[in-house]
Amino acid sequence: MAYLNSLLTFIERNPVLSVGFNIILLVISGMVAHFMCKFLLIKVVRKAFFASHKQDVPLEKDRRIAEKLSNFIPVIIVYYVLQFMPNMPASLVAAINTICGILFFVFLSIFFNEMLDIVNNSYLRKAKRKNHSIKGYIQIGKILIHIIAAIMILAVMSNKSPAIIISSLGAVAAVLMLVFQHTLLSLVANVQVSSNDVLQLGDWIEMPDKNLSGEVTDIALHTITIRNWDNTISRIPTKNFLTETYTNWQAMFSSGARRIMRSTNIDQHSVNFLSQEMLAPMLAIRGVNEPLTRLLDGRDPTGVADSWFIDNGLTNLTLFRHYLMSWLAERTDIVKDMYIVVRTLKPSPAGIPLEIYCFTSSTLWMEYENTQSAIFEYITAIAGQFSLRLYQYPAGHDFWRLSQKN
């Protein structure tokens, strides 16, 4: 014991050894505090924040918060231990205090950033609206935390009040706006996109100008991530969704129906007035009698003269259109409560476009395409029964057949 007292007396009399010993003591106290926080803070955090969880179940959130707390608590310990070392030079004390202040606000900002990440993850896991993202607001909060931390660090380094630092920022406001103009634009765009619900996670969007078509997987402050249907990833600036044209297909999925609007071309030379000779193969088709009876005002089709069809303007294309509308209305994969229209469009050199306009009961891409394909495959096959020809440009086989006839 006497040897220890003599050693301490010798150290106190030597300024260099005294300062070195105090610094070593500060480092040891910081390391001890750090390791104690690493091992003991998980229980404290669990009781304070996650008391509802079982104590024997390790939680990732416990470790993340405890790790961030263990960073800045040793800084506080070092700061207060330093106050009990009167033999330290004033300049060194001021330097250590400044370093402790800087580290404290750095670690404090990291802690609050981690808390914001935990809030975001908890929201995504527990929120009823899984497709709504608050990541943009979280990033705004992180920016504010970094700004406040930077102001406090400047105040510590300059030994001035934070109010003076904030008041002096007015002189460089124009420069800051120029430097952070993209961030400010993205901030406004993100708030508008999130608050108006014009875009949500999981939405299917198309941007023809950029050749994009896919699902929204992430909505951040500066960019929106889209996973295209070819499994490529695209990132578009958030502000582009306020200035550029895009299509959001989510409303279609919400309605429960998906539109078919496609046309096929009818050869104009095959359109003729109905006649009894022409009606014979048509009456053999199931489902023709009902639309034909409506067109004939209840008359018997076999007893109507050919001149009546001419006088009333009833053509094979007219009957074909009405038959297709009745046929579509009977399909189980077509919505009956929405428009079912079969119409002819403006004639062109490629023939008369016959357009099908209806809505499928399934919005899934595969089922939608199967329904659409089945409809037009049927039209292609059944048109000949109505003495109609589908138009297509002549191919080599057509010229060969013509040469064989000659």
Side-chain angles (χ1 to χ4, degrees), residues 44-274:
V44 177
V45 169
R46 177 169 293 181
K47 291 182 179 180
F49 295 98
F50 312 109
S52 60
H53 292 285
K54 296 180 180 180
Q55 297 296 316
D56 58 342
V57 178
L59 295 178
E60 182 63 23
K61 289 186 289 186
D62 294 348
R63 293 195 177 95
R64 290 165 62 183
I65 294 179
E67 181 180 355
K68 300 304 180 290
L69 288 173
S70 64
N71 287 332
F72 67 84
I73 289 182
V75 176
I76 299 175
I77 299 298
V78 170
Y79 177 81
Y80 281 103
V81 169
L82 183 64
Q83 311 306 315
F84 298 97
M85 296 179 177
N87 297 330
M88 294 284 286
S91 58
L92 184 59
V93 171
I96 295 177
N97 286 336
T98 302
I99 294 174
C100 289
I102 293 173
L103 292 177
F104 175 80
F105 287 110
V106 169
F107 292 144
L108 194 62
S109 65
I110 293 175
F111 170 76
F112 281 115
N113 284 336
E114 186 68 29
M115 292 298 296
L116 288 176
D117 287 334
I118 291 175
V119 169
N120 185 42
N121 294 335
S122 300
Y123 178 85
L124 292 176
R125 187 176 62 256
K126 298 179 180 180
K128 296 180 179 179
R129 300 179 63 185
K130 298 291 185 181
N131 56 350
H132 190 71
S133 174
I134 61 170
K135 188 174 182 179
Y137 298 111
I138 295 296
Q139 290 180 329
I140 294 171
K142 289 183 178 180
I143 291 175
L144 293 177
I145 289 174
H146 287 307
I147 291 175
I148 295 174
I151 293 174
M152 298 304 298
I153 289 173
L154 289 175
V156 170
M157 293 176 63
S158 60
N159 198 22
K160 294 182 180 179
S161 172
I164 298 176
I165 303 296
I166 294 174
S167 62
S168 62
L169 292 177
V172 295
V175 178
L176 292 176
M177 291 183 65
L178 181 62
V179 173
F180 297 103
Q181 58 177 328
H182 295 293
T183 300
L184 295 174
L185 290 174
S186 299
L187 171 61
V188 175
N190 190 277
V191 170
Q192 292 186 4
V193 167
S194 301
S195 60
N196 296 328
D197 284 339
V198 298
L199 196 66
Q200 297 178 353
L201 293 177
D203 286 2
W204 170 19
I205 67 168
E206 285 185 351
M207 298 185 75
D209 295 341
K210 300 186 180 299
N211 196 27
L212 296 179
S213 178
E215 179 185 0
V216 177
T217 58
D218 186 52
I219 301 177
L221 178 61
H222 294 90
T223 59
I224 292 178
T225 304
I226 301 170
R227 181 174 60 84
N228 298 301
W229 300 128
D230 58 358
N231 287 329
T232 59
I233 301 296
S234 300
R235 288 182 174 85
I236 308 298
T238 307
K239 59 185 178 63
N240 286 21
F241 287 86
L242 299 180
T243 58
E244 297 185 10
T245 302
Y246 70 96
T247 301
N248 191 335
W249 290 87
Q250 188 59 35
M252 178 269 295
F253 288 108
S254 301
S255 68
R258 187 169 179 179
R259 185 185 69 178
I260 293 177
M261 189 175 68
R262 183 185 288 186
S263 61
T264 186
N265 291 327
I266 303 295
D267 189 346
Q268 301 183 54
H269 295 97
S270 65
V271 180
N272 296 289
F273 289 109
L274 284 174

Side-chain angles (χ1 to χ4, degrees), residues 312-327:
N312 290 273
L314 192 58
T315 66
N316 56 345
L317 182 56
T318 306
L319 178 58
F320 188 49
R321 288 192 300 104
H322 285 78
Y323 165 73
L324 287 179
M325 283 191 287
S326 299
W327 178 75

